[in-house]
Amino acid sequence: MADNPNPAMEDTTAAPAKKKGVKRRAFLIGGVAVVGAGLFGIKLADSNAAKKAVELTTSKGEYNFATWLKIAEDDQITIYSPHTDIGQGSNTGLAQMLAEELDAAWDKVKLVSAPAEPAFANTGLGRGFLAEMTGQPGIIEGIPQSFLSFIARSMNLQITGGSTALRFTGQKTFQMVGAATRAALVEVAAKRLGVPATELATADSKVIHAKSGKSLRYGELAAEAATLSLDSNPKLKNPKDYKIMRQSMSRLDLPAKVDGSAQYGMDFKVPDMRVATIMAAPVRGGKLTSVDPAPAMAVKGVEKVVKLDNAVAVIAKGYWPALNGLRSLSPQFSDGGNAGFSTASIFKAYDDLIAKGEPDGEAGEGEVQAALGANPIQAKYQVPFLHHAMMEPFALTAHHKDGKLDIWGGMQDPLATKMLAVEVSGLDADNVTFHPMLIGGSFGRRLPMYMEIVEQVTQLAMQLPYPVKLIWSREEEVQQGAYRPQSAAILKGAIGKDGKIAAYLNDYAQTESAESETTFIYDLPVVARRHYEYASNQQSGAWRSVNSTQQGFYNESFMDELAHAAKTDPVEFRRRHLKPGSRHLKVLDEVAKRSGWGTPTPEGVARGVAIVESFKTIVAHVIEASIKEDGSPKVLKVTTVVDAGSIVNPDGAAAQIEGGTIMGLSSAIGEAITLDKGAVQQSNLTDYPILKLADAPPVHDIHFIESGAPMGGIGEPGVPPAAPALANALFALTGKRIRSLPLLTQAKV
């Protein structure tokens, strides 16, 4: 997943040795270690976890069902989500999925964050990941729930990411819990009414016997139903009977966000709290060598200066005195031997590795070198590090008192955050509590394995007698990011006499392989994808749609180049290389039809197309663009077609695709993190420009295809086709091929 910097590395011409982080889509492999626990131990642990869930969620008159659902005697239904609210709206979709199968009254449903405790480890997510990684969903479905629960708890699995909330947690857990609970309620109602269960129906949180006109509320059935063993494989509804799913229900999180009552980590306060801010070594891998605290201590409101291994923190009675105190300091840092890293040196290392021709991994089929021939079509592509640029900078509050540590804030994996604080503090897990809060943007940045603030705030709290909120300044947040990797690729292709691709080679260099996270959609006789591993001193992490953005830009831009070489329309050229009757071909044909592909455009306007599959979802964009007077691109219209199998909340899904598209365009047009002497050159949003509203596409037409395929993700797949579709439109308009991003600062990259 992310690779930690190597402070001792000085030679930037070869890939440095790295300490491996947890691979984003392979973190469950370590779960085989639980076999030693034995079947009895696994079942006992599962039973204890269920009892703990009841203890943590219920009080008098409330009853827990399968950990994730609570029904109260007054019919209030509470759903506990293991996914954090980052603004993406998926928690509303999760509530729809459970409420649909439960036949719940929607106005009685509320959703809250699950406690960051092992009892709420996300088994459904683990089951989905295992099925996807192994390619054996049938086998994975046969694994006992207790075994998978044990693995999920041992892996501290409560992550939000990978566009998994609905397709994994929703389908594997929430729909099952809803259906099984409904069956238990019906069983109790049948007993009380003295009628066969087959004569009963459910609707609006009631069990109804039409023949007698009698009905029983869920609230009056819940106590007895909670004592029953739930069916582990209940019958789900036929989609034609849906009343809540596939409807654009209003998002559950919006009222609190509109009226200001929603609390984010930045908002949180406790009595006697102090505020801290921090500065880490500007060159990653460096250490704090010296600092004179006197200038900070002279600032009114500053109470303490704390030295950490690679950073200095200032604690004060408020953020502004803390920040002013920090800015008054002149800390000295080492560079950890990493001063040789620069944007140019990393690209040079990539070129050297690819030229050497010894990849770390490869995939594809056929003998590509022979099939390419002596004079293949060739193009070199480059993309920079990208920052997450989330709206809310890091803000965590921690308080250590009487041997117990509490931490409040928004994180993408609350349970893993808790366990990291346990490790850093040295306290027992029962004495550490993480309180999940809303997140003001993330895009992959707030995963604990990619960020230092959890360790930092824990270290501060353990040596302070009062609560402390640690806030990263925007400058710190920009310069100490966990960036999407800088990457480069050399692509080669050969066109046969039939006008089709005879061979295709993608040699790419970056921190890690993209193979497990990207899908090559074209049906070619010979194709090879080869990865060359290289890591700088920068922390690389999951960025919205992960490696699909780089690979989407490379492959879809090069497909346009090959189409041009074959003297063929770009849509028609792609059609030649997609399997007849495939979902991909249907998406491409639909976006071409809806965008008016092939029809005339106004003078000074051109269209570009791109299609990418990521997270089991296929997205195609057609972008219409022009050039502004200053030479920068102007996106006029985006037409998008999406096949995600099925959609739970159409409005929510459209918002995610639209947001992902704009994020992809923003990164393509103006965003770049660059290095000089091992340090990030950007310092704020003034020199890391985000797309402004005036430059966002005024028209975005989004269409979903309900193909009936297995459900795909929706939060990330809108991103990857945006950059190549824009680049291809600009080529059609200007004749200039875009092979380096961002468009506005290519000279700097």
Side-chain angles (χ1 to χ4, degrees):
M1 199 167 181
D3 297 292
N4 294 327
N6 184 342
M9 180 51 56
E10 296 180 359
D11 179 9
T12 62
T13 63
K18 308 179 299 302
K19 184 168 71 176
K20 294 291 184 182
V22 180
K23 186 74 178 76
R24 190 176 190 210
R25 278 171 239 305
F27 54 83
L28 288 173
I29 298 301
V32 296
V34 305
V35 173
L39 184 59
F40 175 77
I42 289 172
K43 288 185 176 180
L44 179 62
D46 199 47
S47 175
N48 289 338
K51 292 177 182 177
K52 185 66 174 179
V54 173
E55 177 187 325
L56 289 169
T57 59
T58 61
S59 55
K60 186 177 180 180
E62 299 175 336
Y63 306 96
N64 182 282
F65 294 84
T67 299
W68 309 104
L69 171 65
K70 179 174 69 177
I71 301 178
E73 291 177 353
D74 64 357
D75 293 335
Q76 181 67 55
I77 291 171
T78 304
I79 298 170
Y80 291 89
S81 173
H83 292 283
T84 307
D85 184 326
I86 313 175
Q88 77 276 42
S90 61
N91 274 331
T92 298
L94 285 173
Q96 288 178 254
M97 297 175 87
L98 195 153
E100 179 66 70
E101 295 296 343
L102 183 61
D103 268 339
W106 183 248
D107 61 352
K108 289 285 188 179
V109 173
K110 70 175 181 178
L111 185 142
V112 299
S113 293
E117 296 294 335
F120 291 87
N122 193 343
T123 304
L125 182 65
R127 188 182 290 276
F129 268 132
L130 275 175
E132 197 166 278
M133 286 188 300
T134 62
Q136 300 291 333
I139 294 175
I140 301 304
E141 287 300 324
I143 296 177
Q145 181 79 1
S146 59
F147 185 80
L148 284 174
S149 297
F150 193 94
I151 293 177
R153 291 193 299 273
S154 69
M155 301 299 291
N156 303 316
L157 185 57
Q158 211 179 55
I159 196 171
T160 299
S163 296
T164 57
L166 303 188
R167 65 188 177 117
F168 289 168
T169 308
Q171 293 189 112
K172 305 297 182 183
T173 300
F174 277 31
Q175 283 187 267
M176 297 296 184
V177 170
T181 301
R182 175 165 53 88
L185 292 164
V186 168
E187 181 179 340
V188 173
K191 176 183 173 183
R192 291 190 186 178
L193 295 173
V195 300
T198 53
E199 291 186 4
L200 298 175
T202 53
D204 293 327
S205 295
K206 295 177 183 178
V207 181
I208 303 162
H209 187 239
K211 288 183 179 180
S212 66
K214 295 180 180 179
S215 65
L216 293 169
R217 297 181 296 104
Y218 284 0
E220 58 187 313
L221 299 169
E224 187 175 351
T227 67
L228 303 179
S229 295
L230 298 185
D231 187 349
S232 62
N233 190 29
K235 183 179 179 180
L236 301 181
K237 286 185 176 183
N238 189 315
K240 69 180 179 61
D241 297 323
Y242 286 165
K243 298 177 182 178
I244 299 176
M245 284 179 65
R246 300 189 180 176
Q247 303 298 314
S248 294
M249 311 297 283
S250 297
R251 279 174 48 170
L252 300 175
D253 57 307
L254 291 186
K257 291 177 178 177
V258 171
D259 67 24
S261 61
Q263 290 286 296
Y264 294 83
M266 193 68 75
D267 302 319
F268 186 74
K269 294 179 181 178
V270 290
D272 300 321
M273 184 183 76
R274 306 298 195 273
V275 178
T277 193
I278 199 163
M279 178 191 301
V283 178
R284 270 196 177 273
K287 303 294 183 183
L288 176 66
T289 57
S290 66
V291 63
D292 178 7
M297 295 302 296
V299 175
K300 184 178 180 181
V302 171
E303 296 186 352
K304 193 176 181 67
V305 175
V306 178
K307 301 175 185 178
L308 301 178
D309 181 51
N310 69 338
V312 58
V314 174
I315 292 92
K317 292 182 178 179
Y319 178 66
W320 291 114
L323 184 62
N324 289 332
L326 186 69
R327 288 174 172 172
S328 73
L329 297 177
S330 300
Q332 299 300 306
F333 297 96
S334 69
D335 62 22
N338 293 321
F341 285 113
S342 68
T343 297
S345 77
I346 295 170
F347 278 136
K348 174 63 166 58
Y350 289 167
D351 290 345
D352 292 344
L353 281 171
I354 294 174
K356 192 174 181 181
E358 297 177 0
D360 295 281
E362 54 187 307
E365 52 190 37
E367 294 296 328
V368 70
Q369 294 292 359
L372 283 170
N375 297 297
I377 300 163
Q378 178 172 319
K380 176 181 174 181
Y381 290 86
Q382 295 180 339
V383 295
F385 286 115
L386 285 182
H387 181 47
H388 296 79
M390 53 198 183
M391 185 179 297
E392 178 195 24
F394 290 149
L396 290 181
T397 301
H399 188 199
H400 177 239
K401 183 179 181 181
D402 299 330
K404 296 184 180 294
L405 176 66
D406 287 270
I407 303 178
W408 296 263
M411 295 288 288
Q412 281 182 254
D413 195 331
L415 181 53
T417 301
K418 167 195 165 88
M419 301 313 293
L420 178 56
V422 167
E423 179 183 342
V424 174
S425 68
L427 298 173
D428 185 83
D430 290 339
N431 292 323
V432 176
T433 302
F434 180 76
H435 304 268
M437 302 185 72
L438 300 176
I439 294 178
S442 180
F443 311 112
R445 180 66 178 104
R446 295 179 192 263
L447 293 165
M449 72 284 283
Y450 294 154
M451 53 193 293
E452 296 86 358
I453 191 172
V454 178
E455 292 99 323
Q456 291 170 347
V457 77
T458 301
Q459 289 175 321
L460 293 178
M462 294 303 292
Q463 56 183 298
L464 296 174
Y466 37 69
V468 61
K469 178 193 287 185
L470 176 57
I471 298 174
W472 276 28
S473 67
R474 180 67 70 183
E475 291 80 5
E476 188 77 358
E477 191 257 329
V478 170
Q479 296 185 317
Q480 299 290 335
Y483 311 112
R484 188 199 73 175
Q486 181 176 329
S487 178
I490 294 177
L491 286 88
K492 298 177 182 178
I495 304 295
K497 293 181 180 179
D498 59 357
K500 296 177 66 175
I501 298 173
Y504 188 102
L505 172 62
N506 178 352
D507 278 329
Y508 68 98
Q510 61 181 46
T511 309
E512 63 181 28
S513 171
E515 193 62 32
S516 66
E517 295 169 331
T518 59
T519 301
F520 189 78
I521 66 174
Y522 296 106
D523 185 22
L524 308 181
V526 181
V527 60
R529 301 176 296 278
R530 306 193 302 195
H531 169 241
Y532 297 82
E533 185 174 5
Y534 181 87
S536 69
N537 67 323
Q538 295 303 304
Q539 172 81 300
S540 63
W543 190 91
R544 191 174 186 178
S545 78
V546 203
N547 290 304
S548 296
T549 50
Q550 302 101 309
Q551 294 299 316
F553 175 62
Y554 300 156
N555 289 317
E556 285 302 290
S557 296
F558 195 55
M559 283 297 290
D560 252 49
E561 296 209 40
L562 294 177
H564 184 70
K567 297 181 173 57
T568 305
D569 173 82
V571 168
E572 178 56 33
F573 188 74
R574 285 171 171 80
R575 294 188 84 259
R576 292 180 184 177
H577 300 93
L578 294 173
K579 291 182 179 180
S582 67
R583 294 168 63 204
H584 303 91
L585 184 56
K586 291 177 181 177
V587 168
L588 182 64
D589 285 345
E590 187 68 22
V591 81
K593 181 180 73 173
R594 288 180 170 272
S595 66
W597 186 269
T599 63
T601 58
E603 185 177 354
V605 177
R607 297 187 185 101
V609 65
I611 177 171
V612 179
E613 178 184 341
S614 60
F615 306 95
K616 306 300 181 182
T617 292
I618 304 163
V619 177
H621 292 323
V622 169
I623 286 180
E624 294 185 10
S626 63
I627 302 294
K628 295 191 291 186
E629 290 185 3
D630 63 2
S632 62
K634 174 66 176 178
V635 179
L636 303 173
K637 181 181 179 181
V638 181
T639 304
T640 301
V641 173
V642 181
D643 181 353
S646 62
I647 297 298
V648 174
N649 187 314
D651 280 357
Q656 284 297 289
I657 294 296
E658 187 169 21
T661 304
I662 292 173
M663 188 169 178
L665 292 173
S666 179
S667 65
I669 292 171
E671 298 179 35
I673 290 291
T674 57
L675 301 183
D676 183 47
K677 297 179 181 178
V680 172
Q681 294 179 287
Q682 289 68 35
S683 63
N684 210 311
L685 299 183
T686 52
D687 50 9
Y688 190 83
I690 304 298
L691 193 69
K692 294 180 173 62
L693 182 62
D695 294 318
V699 179
H700 196 160
D701 176 25
I702 302 171
H703 175 71
F704 292 98
I705 294 176
E706 287 278 349
S707 66
M711 185 183 291
I714 208 68
E716 298 173 271
V719 179
L726 174 59
N728 293 337
L730 295 177
F731 171 76
L733 185 62
T734 67
K736 179 183 178 182
R737 184 63 67 182
I738 305 296
R739 299 191 181 100
S740 177
L741 298 178
L743 297 170
L744 298 183
T745 56
Q746 290 186 53
K748 297 181 180 180
V749 177

